[in-house]
Amino acid sequence: MLQQLEELKLNALQGLETVNNTKELESWRVYYLGKKGELTRILRSLATLPLAERKAVGAYANEVKTLLDDSLKQKSQTFREAQLAVSAKREAIDITLPGRPFPLGRLHPLTQTLYEICDIFVAMGFQVVEGPEVEWDYYNFEALNMPKEHPARDNMSTSWIDFEAENDERRMLLRTHTTSVSARIIETMQPPIRVIEPGKVYRYEASDATHTPMFCQIDGLVVDKGVTMADLKGTLYEFARRFFGRDKKVRFRCDYFPFVEPGVEMAIECLVCGGAGCRLCGDSGWIEILGAGMTHPQVLQRGGIDPEVYTSFAFGVGIDRLPMLRYGIDDIRLFYGSDLRFLRQF
Ligand code: DAH
């Protein structure tokens, strides 16, 4: 039996030499060390031996078993290491490769303009406030000195919200200007007031290169004791200088808006021709950019502010025209078309 064990040991070790992969190793294990394997068979038959012989053979058999177990472990360790080396090589990360670029979003050119204008006024002590786009007739017209039959209403083609209102003051509309927010502010805030009111406004109009049914405005309102036309001019001059540049000329002329008295329009020197006259400025050399004026006493009064104590100026700017002038964009619809080829340029 010792002879058998010796042969088994030699065969097994020799066999192990030729094992090339884990699958073969497993077959080898089953053949020699498995429950029905060669060594197990010999160990089982130990019981048939006389006691003295059984001890010696048994000891040797255990020795062989330990030897084979160890060899098996060693071999499978070698395989594991080899495999690890292979996968480490395959999965290696080249840290010298450049990263993949992230697509970066950006702010819409109108949003950029809006932020820029807000920053200019905030630096002058203004506070940014907002109001509803769906508005009462009252705040859009009535409170701003435009009663029902007022002709100025016709200049602001209105999108009405269609529902049965018992009286006209309860009618709703899409606000035609952000001046509606000023009407609300006069009612709710105590002077001193210094606010700007950015937002979307709506006109019932077809779109073309210079009109869209929705566009953006910023209104401004200042109410305090002793506010004069000089404050209005100083504030708006400063805005124009900061937005368009210190070297640009600015002009004020009389204009009419029902909610201010006197009313003015502000223009800047044409950015394209510098005042000489061109297609953009209609040969006048000037481009109108905003309306303004001293808030009408009746408007203050109606909102609960005493016009004998407080005076006020107001202004309203269309936002869309500003980047058009600055970048030479000739079609306002580009701002609302969501064409990334256009938007990515800003
Ligand atoms: N709301 C006017 C418009 O949309 C612009 C305007 C003019 C606003 C004079 C004002 C102002 O606050 O004082 O045409």
Coordinates of all heavy atoms in Angstrom, one line a residue, residues 270-311:
C270 N -26.3 107.1 -32.5 CA -26.4 105.8 -33.2 C -25.1 105.1 -33.1 O -24.0 105.6 -33.4 CB -26.8 106.1 -34.7 SG -26.9 104.5 -35.6
L271 N -25.2 103.8 -32.7 CA -24.0 103.0 -32.5 C -23.3 102.6 -33.8 O -22.2 102.3 -33.8 CB -24.4 101.7 -31.7 CG -25.0 101.9 -30.3 CD1 -25.4 100.6 -29.7 CD2 -24.0 102.7 -29.4
V272 N -24.1 102.6 -34.9 CA -23.5 102.2 -36.2 C -22.8 103.4 -36.8 O -21.7 103.3 -37.3 CB -24.6 101.6 -37.1 CG1 -24.1 101.4 -38.5 CG2 -25.2 100.3 -36.5
C273 N -23.5 104.5 -37.0 CA -22.9 105.6 -37.8 C -22.3 106.7 -36.9 O -21.7 107.7 -37.4 CB -24.0 106.2 -38.7 SG -25.4 106.9 -37.8
G274 N -22.5 106.6 -35.6 CA -21.9 107.6 -34.7 C -22.6 109.0 -34.8 O -22.0 110.0 -34.5
G275 N -23.8 109.0 -35.4 CA -24.5 110.3 -35.4 C -24.6 110.9 -36.9 O -25.3 111.8 -37.1
A276 N -23.9 110.3 -37.8 CA -23.9 110.8 -39.2 C -25.2 110.5 -39.9 O -25.6 111.3 -40.8 CB -22.7 110.2 -39.9
G277 N -25.9 109.4 -39.5 CA -27.1 109.1 -40.2 C -26.9 107.8 -41.0 O -25.9 107.7 -41.8
C278 N -27.7 106.8 -40.8 CA -27.6 105.5 -41.5 C -29.0 104.8 -41.5 O -29.9 105.4 -41.0 CB -26.5 104.6 -40.9 SG -27.0 104.0 -39.3
R279 N -29.0 103.6 -42.0 CA -30.3 102.9 -42.2 C -30.8 102.6 -40.8 O -32.0 102.7 -40.5 CB -30.1 101.6 -43.0 CG -31.2 101.3 -43.9 CD -30.9 100.1 -44.7 NE -30.4 99.0 -43.8 CZ -30.7 97.8 -43.9 NH1 -31.4 97.4 -45.0 NH2 -30.3 96.9 -43.1
L280 N -29.9 102.2 -39.9 CA -30.4 101.8 -38.5 C -31.1 102.9 -37.8 O -32.2 102.7 -37.2 CB -29.2 101.3 -37.7 CG -29.6 100.8 -36.3 CD1 -30.3 99.5 -36.3 CD2 -28.4 100.6 -35.4
C281 N -30.6 104.1 -37.9 CA -31.2 105.2 -37.1 C -32.2 106.0 -38.0 O -32.6 107.1 -37.6 CB -30.1 106.1 -36.5 SG -29.0 106.8 -37.8
G282 N -32.4 105.5 -39.2 CA -33.3 106.3 -40.1 C -32.8 107.6 -40.4 O -33.5 108.6 -40.5
D283 N -31.5 107.7 -40.6 CA -30.8 108.9 -41.0 C -30.8 110.1 -40.0 O -30.5 111.2 -40.3 CB -31.3 109.5 -42.4 CG -30.8 108.6 -43.5 OD1 -29.7 108.1 -43.4 OD2 -31.6 108.5 -44.5
S284 N -31.3 109.7 -38.8 CA -31.4 110.8 -37.8 C -30.2 110.9 -36.9 O -30.0 111.9 -36.3 CB -32.6 110.5 -36.9 OG -32.3 109.4 -36.0
G285 N -29.4 109.8 -36.9 CA -28.2 109.8 -36.0 C -28.5 109.5 -34.6 O -27.6 109.3 -33.8
W286 N -29.8 109.3 -34.2 CA -30.2 109.0 -32.8 C -31.0 107.7 -32.8 O -31.8 107.4 -33.7 CB -31.0 110.1 -32.2 CG -30.2 111.4 -32.1 CD1 -30.2 112.4 -33.0 CD2 -29.3 111.7 -31.0 NE1 -29.4 113.4 -32.5 CE2 -28.8 113.0 -31.3 CE3 -28.9 111.1 -29.9 CZ2 -27.9 113.6 -30.5 CZ3 -28.0 111.7 -29.0 CH2 -27.5 113.0 -29.3
I287 N -30.9 107.0 -31.7 CA -31.7 105.8 -31.5 C -32.5 105.9 -30.2 O -31.8 106.1 -29.1 CB -30.9 104.5 -31.5 CG1 -30.4 104.4 -33.0 CG2 -31.7 103.3 -31.1 CD1 -29.5 103.2 -33.2
E288 N -33.8 105.9 -30.2 CA -34.6 106.0 -29.0 C -34.5 104.7 -28.2 O -34.6 103.6 -28.8 CB -36.0 106.2 -29.3 CG -36.3 107.6 -29.9 CD -37.6 107.7 -30.7 OE1 -38.5 106.9 -30.4 OE2 -37.7 108.6 -31.5
I289 N -34.2 104.8 -26.9 CA -34.1 103.6 -26.1 C -35.0 103.5 -25.0 O -35.3 102.4 -24.5 CB -32.6 103.3 -25.6 CG1 -32.1 104.5 -24.9 CG2 -31.7 102.9 -26.8 CD1 -30.8 104.1 -24.2
L290 N -35.6 104.6 -24.5 CA -36.5 104.5 -23.4 C -37.5 105.7 -23.3 O -37.2 106.7 -23.8 CB -35.8 104.3 -22.1 CG -34.8 105.3 -21.5 CD1 -35.5 106.4 -20.8 CD2 -33.8 104.6 -20.6
G291 N -38.6 105.4 -22.5 CA -39.5 106.5 -22.2 C -39.4 106.8 -20.7 O -39.0 105.9 -19.9
A292 N -39.7 108.0 -20.3 CA -39.5 108.4 -18.9 C -40.3 109.6 -18.6 O -41.0 110.2 -19.5 CB -38.1 108.6 -18.5
G293 N -40.3 110.0 -17.3 CA -41.0 111.2 -17.0 C -41.2 111.3 -15.5 O -40.9 110.5 -14.7
M294 N -41.8 112.5 -15.1 CA -42.2 112.7 -13.7 C -43.5 112.1 -13.5 O -44.5 112.5 -14.1 CB -42.2 114.2 -13.3 CG -40.9 114.9 -13.6 SD -39.4 114.2 -12.7 CE -39.9 114.5 -11.0
T295 N -43.6 111.2 -12.6 CA -44.9 110.4 -12.3 C -46.0 111.4 -12.1 O -45.9 112.4 -11.3 CB -44.7 109.5 -11.1 OG1 -43.5 108.8 -11.3 CG2 -45.9 108.5 -11.0
H296 N -47.1 111.2 -12.8 CA -48.3 112.1 -12.7 C -48.8 112.1 -11.3 O -49.0 111.1 -10.7 CB -49.3 111.6 -13.7 CG -50.3 112.6 -14.1 ND1 -51.2 113.1 -13.2 CD2 -50.6 113.3 -15.2 CE1 -52.0 114.1 -13.7 NE2 -51.6 114.2 -15.0
P297 N -49.1 113.3 -10.8 CA -49.6 113.4 -9.4 C -50.9 112.5 -9.2 O -51.0 111.9 -8.1 CB -50.0 114.9 -9.3 CG -49.2 115.6 -10.3 CD -48.9 114.6 -11.4
Q298 N -51.7 112.4 -10.2 CA -52.9 111.6 -10.0 C -52.6 110.1 -9.8 O -53.3 109.4 -9.1 CB -53.8 111.7 -11.3 CG -54.8 112.8 -11.2 CD -55.6 113.0 -12.5 OE1 -55.9 112.0 -13.1 NE2 -55.9 114.2 -12.8
V299 N -51.5 109.7 -10.4 CA -51.1 108.3 -10.3 C -50.6 108.0 -8.9 O -51.0 107.0 -8.2 CB -50.0 107.9 -11.3 CG1 -49.4 106.5 -11.1 CG2 -50.5 108.0 -12.7
L300 N -49.8 109.0 -8.3 CA -49.4 108.8 -6.9 C -50.6 108.8 -6.0 O -50.7 108.0 -5.1 CB -48.4 110.0 -6.6 CG -47.1 110.0 -7.3 CD1 -46.3 111.2 -6.9 CD2 -46.3 108.7 -7.0
Q301 N -51.5 109.8 -6.2 CA -52.6 110.0 -5.4 C -53.5 108.8 -5.3 O -53.9 108.3 -4.3 CB -53.5 111.2 -5.9 CG -54.7 111.6 -5.1 CD -54.4 112.9 -4.4 OE1 -54.1 113.9 -5.0 NE2 -54.5 112.8 -3.1
R302 N -53.7 108.2 -6.5 CA -54.6 107.0 -6.6 C -54.0 105.9 -5.8 O -54.7 105.0 -5.2 CB -54.8 106.6 -8.0 CG -56.1 105.8 -8.2 CD -56.3 105.3 -9.6 NE -57.0 106.2 -10.5 CZ -56.5 107.0 -11.4 NH1 -55.2 106.9 -11.7 NH2 -57.2 107.8 -12.1
G303 N -52.6 105.8 -5.8 CA -52.0 104.7 -5.1 C -51.8 105.0 -3.6 O -51.2 104.2 -2.9
G304 N -52.3 106.2 -3.1 CA -52.2 106.5 -1.7 C -51.0 107.2 -1.3 O -50.6 107.2 -0.1
I305 N -50.2 107.8 -2.2 CA -49.1 108.6 -1.9 C -49.4 110.1 -2.1 O -49.9 110.5 -3.2 CB -47.8 108.2 -2.7 CG1 -47.4 106.8 -2.3 CG2 -46.7 109.2 -2.5 CD1 -46.2 106.3 -3.0
D306 N -49.2 111.0 -1.2 CA -49.5 112.4 -1.3 C -48.6 113.1 -2.2 O -47.4 113.3 -1.8 CB -49.5 113.0 0.1 CG -50.0 114.4 0.1 OD1 -50.2 115.0 -1.0 OD2 -50.2 115.0 1.2
P307 N -49.0 113.6 -3.4 CA -48.1 114.2 -4.3 C -47.7 115.6 -3.9 O -46.8 116.3 -4.5 CB -49.0 114.3 -5.6 CG -50.4 114.2 -5.2 CD -50.4 113.4 -3.9
E308 N -48.3 116.1 -2.8 CA -47.9 117.4 -2.2 C -46.6 117.2 -1.4 O -45.8 118.1 -1.2 CB -49.0 118.0 -1.3 CG -50.3 118.4 -2.0 CD -50.1 119.5 -3.0 OE1 -49.2 120.4 -2.8 OE2 -50.8 119.6 -4.0
V309 N -46.4 116.0 -0.9 CA -45.3 115.7 -0.1 C -44.2 115.0 -0.9 O -43.0 115.3 -0.7 CB -45.7 114.8 1.1 CG1 -44.5 114.5 2.0 CG2 -46.8 115.4 1.9
Y310 N -44.6 114.1 -1.7 CA -43.6 113.3 -2.5 C -43.7 113.6 -4.0 O -44.7 113.8 -4.5 CB -43.9 111.8 -2.3 CG -43.6 111.4 -0.9 CD1 -44.7 111.2 0.0 CD2 -42.3 111.2 -0.4 CE1 -44.5 110.8 1.3 CE2 -42.1 110.8 0.9 CZ -43.2 110.6 1.8 OH -43.0 110.2 3.1
T311 N -42.5 113.5 -4.6 CA -42.5 113.6 -6.1 C -41.8 112.3 -6.6 O -41.1 111.6 -5.8 CB -41.7 114.8 -6.6 OG1 -40.5 115.0 -5.9 CG2 -42.6 116.0 -6.5

